[in-house]
Amino acid sequence: MVTKREIVYTVLRERANEWVNGNDLVAAGAGYRFGGRIHELRQAGHAIEQRPSKSSAVHEYRLVIEDVAPGQIPLPLVAA
């Protein structure tokens, strides 16, 4: 079973360095309390930025991954 935190992370990771509207997270199945999942991901060390949306009252978020162009899916980390 996929957790809501995994859903949030997957959506943000698939759109690395792009702004994602909170409504898109809800539509993906993260639920309306996705802010708590974002907090957990930040606590785990992920760089997630937040800004007010220009088109709605919901905020936008982006997972910042260096050396990855916006929209490019980063390669998964491989254990050595």
Side-chain angles (χ1 to χ4, degrees):
M1 182 172 162
V2 178
T3 67
K4 293 186 186 255
R5 180 171 54 179
E6 291 170 331
I7 291 170
V8 170
Y9 178 72
T10 299
V11 171
L12 292 176
R13 187 172 176 275
E14 287 176 349
R15 295 172 60 184
N17 298 321
E18 289 184 350
W19 290 103
V20 177
N21 189 294
N23 291 328
D24 294 339
L25 296 173
V26 172
Y32 289 101
R33 297 182 51 105
F34 62 83
R37 308 304 68 82
I38 296 220
H39 177 74
E40 293 170 357
L41 290 167
R42 285 177 175 152
Q43 294 289 26
H46 298 285
I48 299 175
E49 296 178 344
Q50 174 181 343
R51 72 177 184 186
S53 174
K54 296 176 182 175
S55 61
S56 71
V58 178
H59 282 83
E60 297 176 335
Y61 304 87
R62 72 174 169 185
L63 176 64
V64 178
I65 301 177
E66 294 184 27
D67 299 329
V68 174
Q72 177 185 6
I73 298 176
L75 295 174
L77 297 177
V78 178

